[in-house]
Amino acid sequence: MSQKNKYAQAPNKLSVALIVNGTAQQLIVAPWTTLLDALRDHLGLTGTKKGCDHGQCGACTVLVDGRRVNSCLSLVVMRSGAEVTTIEGLATRDNLHPLQQAFIDHDAFQCGYCTPGQICSAAGLIAEGKAKSDDEIRELMSGNLCRCAAYPNIVAAIKQAMTVMAGKS
Amino acid sequence: MTPYIGTAISRIDGHAKVTGGAKYAAEFNVPGLVHAFVVVSAITKGSIARIDASEALRVEGVVDVLTHENRPRMADTDDAYKDDVAPDGTPYRPLYDSKIMFSGQPVALVLAEEWEIARFAASLVHVKYEQEAHLTDLYCQREVAFALPEPAKPRGDAAKAFAAADVRHQGEYYVPIEHHNPMELYASTVTWDGGGKLTVYDKTQGVQNVQRYVCSIFGMKPDDVRVMSPYVGGAFGSGLRPQYQVVLAVLAARALERPVRLVLTRQQMYSLGYRPAMIQRIELGASAGGTLDTVTHEAITVTSQYEDFFRNETTWSGLLYRSANAKYTHKLTRLDLPTSCDMRGPSATTGVYALESAMDELAVALRLDPLELRLRCYSDRDQNNGDLPFSSKNLLECYRQGAEIFGWAKRNREPRSMRDGSELVGWGMATGVWEALQVPITVRIVLTANGHAEVACATSDIGTGTYTIMAQVAADALGLPLDNISIKLGDSTLPQSPVEGGSWIAASVSNGIVTTCNAIREELLVLAKNLPGSPLANATRDEVTLLDGRLVNRRDASRALSIAEVMRVSGVDRIAQEKSTSFANDGKHAHNTHSALFAEVKIDEQLGVIRVTRVVSAVAAGRILNPKTAHSQVMGGVVWGIGVALHEETLIDHRFGRVMNANIAEYHIPVNADIQDIKVIFVEEQDNIVNRLGVKGLGEIGLVGVAAAIANAIYHATGKRVRDLPITIDKLQR
Ligand code: FES
Ligand code: FES
């Protein structure tokens, strides 16, 4: 034991296993590590964004076991065994996800910083199956801020993707 | 081939942005990275008496704690800290000495192997302060505000004309401090490249500004610092000046000789620049017939104790409407805050809000339709500047098309006269105006024999669509398919560009590209003429154009050669040209963009809840390079206007001099559910004077005037005039 340990120290690291974009990952992280930082700093998946780290902006939205969550509000050690999908895991090798294509088609972003969170959130929204009207989409996408203010285009993009995805299933 | 210019092309960087491939400043993960966390001042004014970092230093994984006492050397002159767009004064020097000038000022930088450890250790740095009394309230200081030089020459005798006017209106309007709040957190990643060389990935609107600034503070050679910002997660003016995190990240990298990343927290970003709070007073005097006799516009704004930042809020009033008499006054207060700065549509967002609210009140006093009043006061000259005509001004068409699409003719002029169930309905309108600015810029193009071209310029794309419009213009001017063009920007080693702001980059860089493409074409023509039996042997340079991969004689399209063929036969595999473009002002024209805004609000009569249900924005801004990205820019501006009108306000507890709502939940910005129907129209506006392509820029005009249109609609709905923004429910119920 070093002299240092008499004083305030970082907590001991833990091991956590989870599946990210279909790949099994084993991480050794301090328990205070958020899912967001685990993705960005430990796994190099920087597509998931940090806009506030407080659950206020939605930029960090990812899918955990198919549900949308703010990854900044989730400690990675609490997600042991979970299946996480990030923006990097939405497209197949040859094709963009219908939401990704719709966001491009409708210019549903400018700077692009909120975009991965918007797209993951929209994927969660569609899976929830609650939003039917424009108003419902707006309401249920309001946890994802966009300072460039692409909101109407985001709604249009989600509607396009809903149609495309309904046609496929 | 149909031209790309004017076509609604999807963003060429769209794929990178929707797949997570686009990398922003905090996302360059390099081995051995040290994570930094800032400790900020708990007081607003005074000095640091003592810093005790011993507890923090004992945490395993902490590498060092830098303070003003132990930091490496930094420049000690004010000039060294003046960036390209610094206002007059003594720029703030991060971690320089013990002096505290604003709440949230950095006092220590914790460096650790992991970000969480740095953040934790930051909580263990103990700082003792000598506190001094501070002042942060504009209203307490308005009497001691000092006058700035006259914003523009007055004309006539405004006071006398006001006294004599048939109909008068005067009012005082308030706009609070607002913060930009781009979604991306301010961040810098500095890589230590060996030999003392650094690469800095920075969140900025001007890589070369940051590069010069870093070099001058640290006494580094230009070749030793490369600043990159391939993607910027919004900035809206906050990235025009280098922010303190870049200084601290470079300082730490030099101290440790290791790569360092510093990301500010959302809360810490409230100690960067902001839109200054502003008290404005307007006096309008009109004839009974509804023409303006006189305009007086006074503004008092806010800056820090150490730099005098201000823009010209007041003169828009004497520009937008014809008036024989006009007078402008601008005063500044120095408060214990960071220096204010440009924020989207600086000066016009606030100045035109006040003017257009006052015009609405004048229309009420005159019992005139507010649109009719604008038409009667219409000005086709810039009276502030020698009565110059405009290079183009199609504002009348904005009014006409905007009103028609909105259905303005069906408006009942009486307040509280329109309703929809339990909601009061209000219709308001306003005018917007901005400058069509342009700046000297340099563009390099390399054309290769396989028909590809790389276009390079050190400008930025902060979400504005610069990548895309650059590719469109180059594709047209070189006669190549869009996919054959690659764009390089956001790198300080590329050809010169000023900071991206003021809506000037689209016009500047697009014309810059044309200049360089012309040089490429001329070089091709020289090669072509030398080919044996060349069909272009006698062609002059003005006769030849580049089209569909060929060099073509405009007069006789049968006289043409393929570009690839010319290069191959000449034995040339690349043609590189780098040209600068500057924009001579003929001194005979004013250059402005304009807009007409029409807004509908619905207000619950019992609860006072305000919804903006419809906005029509009709914009005259010269040639539109890309209707798709242009639409997004203006639509974004309209949403910002809704924020200015209804949501945004940085609240300071003046007892502590500290921002109370320093987070993105309590600093309200519009969310998806706040936004309903927004229609954007671009009216035809040919401008052969402003620049070769007739482009005038769009970043700001979309916002200007929107807040006034909404405030005016709220008056129309309720009969209540709220003159301080944002218009919240409590103010309506008072
Ligand atoms: S970063 Fe998670 S909600 Fe903002
Ligand atoms: S695209 Fe910039 S914040 Fe949404």
Side-chain angles (χ1 to χ4, degrees), chain A residues 109-115 146-148, chain B residues 183:
Chain A
F109 50 85
Q110 290 195 59
C111 78
Y113 198 78
C114 73
T115 311
C146 176
R147 188 54 157 164
C148 299
Chain B
M183 289 314 305

Side-chain angles (χ1 to χ4, degrees), chain A residues 2-5 7-11 13 28-30 32-34 37-54 56-59 87-91 96 99-101 103-116 118-119 134-135 137-155 158, chain B residues 10-11 13-15 17-24 26-29 35 55 57-62 114-117 119-120 124 179-185 231-234 236 261 263 265-267 343-344 461-465 628-637 639-640 648 663-678:
Chain A
S2 78
Q3 176 74 3
K4 280 190 164 188
N5 285 350
Y7 303 98
Q9 292 298 335
K13 294 193 171 174
I28 312 285
V29 291
W32 60 22
T33 308
T34 63
D37 290 323
L39 292 169
R40 283 169 66 85
D41 293 347
H42 296 262
L43 296 172
L45 294 170
T46 55
T48 306
K49 305 304 181 197
K50 184 185 283 191
C52 70
D53 221 11
H54 283 50
Q56 299 174 336
C57 75
I87 191 72
E88 290 93 341
L90 282 183
L96 290 176
L99 275 164
Q100 292 173 312
Q101 188 58 50
F103 267 61
I104 294 176
D105 294 345
H106 290 273
D107 207 35
F109 50 85
Q110 290 195 59
C111 78
Y113 198 78
C114 73
T115 311
Q118 300 279 0
I119 291 175
D134 285 16
D135 272 345
I137 295 174
R138 288 180 189 128
E139 186 66 31
L140 293 167
M141 286 299 292
S142 283
N144 291 83
L145 303 182
C146 176
R147 188 54 157 164
C148 299
Y151 298 127
N153 292 357
I154 291 170
V155 174
I158 292 173
Chain B
S10 292
R11 269 167 222 270
D13 49 340
H15 189 274
K17 284 177 174 172
V18 301
T19 55
K23 281 199 183 299
Y24 300 79
E27 297 172 353
F28 293 85
N29 288 338
H35 297 263
E55 214 184 321
L57 285 164
R58 286 194 198 104
V59 176
E60 271 181 76
V62 170
E114 291 179 21
W115 180 73
E116 292 86 352
I117 293 177
R119 181 179 58 176
F120 170 60
L124 303 174
H179 276 84
H180 311 71
N181 276 305
M183 289 314 305
E184 183 195 11
L185 299 173
Y231 292 99
V232 180
F236 313 109
R261 170 183 304 153
V263 184
T265 64
R266 178 61 58 183
Q267 181 177 8
M343 179 164 159
R344 199 167 191 181
D461 186 333
I462 55 174
T464 39
K628 194 172 199 168
T629 55
H631 181 277
S632 292
Q633 269 191 297
V634 173
M635 186 179 73
V639 174
W640 269 60
E648 296 196 33
N663 62 73
I664 205 155
E666 290 164 292
Y667 181 101
H668 293 168
I669 64 167
V671 303
N672 209 323
D674 292 317
I675 305 308
Q676 301 191 33
D677 186 12
I678 297 174

Side-chain angles (χ1 to χ4, degrees), chain B residues 402-424:
Chain B
E404 186 175 312
I405 287 177
F406 186 85
W408 185 257
K410 295 201 276 297
R411 179 178 186 264
N412 181 333
R413 215 180 59 215
E414 286 308 310
R416 299 184 74 89
S417 61
M418 295 165 63
R419 42 168 74 238
D420 177 3
S422 62
E423 288 178 309
L424 298 166

Side-chain angles (χ1 to χ4, degrees), chain B residues 103-412:
Chain B
S103 172
Q105 180 181 322
V107 296
L109 187 70
V110 179
L111 303 165
E113 301 292 350
E114 291 179 21
W115 180 73
E116 292 86 352
I117 293 177
R119 181 179 58 176
F120 170 60
S123 71
L124 303 174
V125 174
H126 305 292
V127 187
K128 288 234 163 5
Y129 300 96
E130 305 277 358
Q131 201 165 341
E132 292 170 30
H134 61 260
L135 291 165
T136 52
D137 188 350
L138 166 62
Y139 276 100
C140 293
Q141 291 301 97
R142 71 184 288 181
E143 299 310 325
V144 296
F146 64 94
L148 293 165
E150 225 159 38
K153 270 222 315 261
R155 50 182 186 266
D157 185 337
K160 202 166 136 199
F162 186 69
D166 294 342
V167 178
R168 286 188 283 270
H169 165 69
Q170 55 179 318
E172 186 171 295
Y173 302 87
Y174 178 68
V175 182
I177 288 182
E178 296 166 357
H179 276 84
H180 311 71
N181 276 305
M183 289 314 305
E184 183 195 11
L185 299 173
Y186 264 84
S188 305
T189 305
V190 180
T191 70
W192 181 256
D193 300 340
K197 286 187 192 291
L198 304 175
T199 302
V200 182
Y201 297 95
D202 190 37
K203 178 172 176 63
T204 177
Q205 292 171 254
V207 282
Q208 291 180 332
N209 189 20
V210 172
Q211 193 259 1
R212 280 188 284 273
Y213 176 75
V214 165
C215 285
S216 90
I217 292 174
F218 295 102
M220 298 176 77
K221 294 201 287 296
D223 285 352
D224 290 347
V225 182
R226 179 179 190 182
V227 179
M228 312 266 287
S229 64
Y231 292 99
V232 180
F236 313 109
S238 61
L240 291 169
R241 301 187 66 187
Q243 295 296 357
Y244 74 70
Q245 92 287 340
V246 73
V247 179
L248 298 186
V250 171
L251 186 74
R254 285 167 57 89
L256 303 179
E257 304 200 348
R258 287 181 61 179
V260 172
R261 170 183 304 153
L262 172 56
V263 184
L264 300 189
T265 64
R266 178 61 58 183
Q267 181 177 8
Q268 288 166 352
M269 282 168 56
Y270 287 79
S271 301
L272 306 179
Y274 52 90
R275 192 194 295 285
M278 195 166 305
I279 301 169
Q280 296 179 81
R281 214 174 61 77
I282 297 216
E283 285 180 2
L284 301 174
S287 70
T291 54
L292 269 184
D293 296 329
T294 178
V295 183
T296 299
H297 193 153
E298 298 173 7
I300 310 176
T301 65
V302 170
T303 188
S304 63
Q305 297 286 3
Y306 49 92
E307 284 174 315
D308 288 346
F309 174 83
F310 59 91
R311 292 283 179 244
N312 191 352
E313 275 72 35
T314 57
T315 55
W316 301 107
S317 293
L319 169 72
L320 201 43
Y321 300 113
R322 184 131 204 101
S323 173
N325 303 281
K327 185 169 164 22
Y328 317 102
T329 317
H330 193 158
K331 291 180 178 172
L332 199 55
T333 52
R334 295 199 181 112
L335 299 177
D336 297 305
L337 295 170
T339 306
S340 48
C341 72
D342 288 316
M343 179 164 159
R344 199 167 191 181
S347 81
T349 299
T350 42
V352 173
Y353 152 69
L355 170 68
E356 287 299 280
S357 300
M359 285 294 281
D360 199 66
E361 299 201 54
L362 182 66
V364 171
L366 282 161
R367 301 198 59 74
L368 207 58
D369 177 88
L371 174 56
E372 179 58 29
L373 175 64
R374 266 69 170 193
L375 296 173
R376 292 191 193 176
C377 299
Y378 193 83
S379 176
D380 51 10
R381 324 280 290 187
D382 176 359
Q383 287 183 288
N384 286 339
N385 278 310
D387 216 27
L388 295 177
F390 292 92
S391 61
S392 58
K393 179 174 177 178
N394 210 0
L395 176 58
L396 286 176
E397 198 51 27
C398 295
Y399 287 138
R400 198 189 65 73
Q401 290 186 27
E404 186 175 312
I405 287 177
F406 186 85
W408 185 257
K410 295 201 276 297
R411 179 178 186 264
N412 181 333

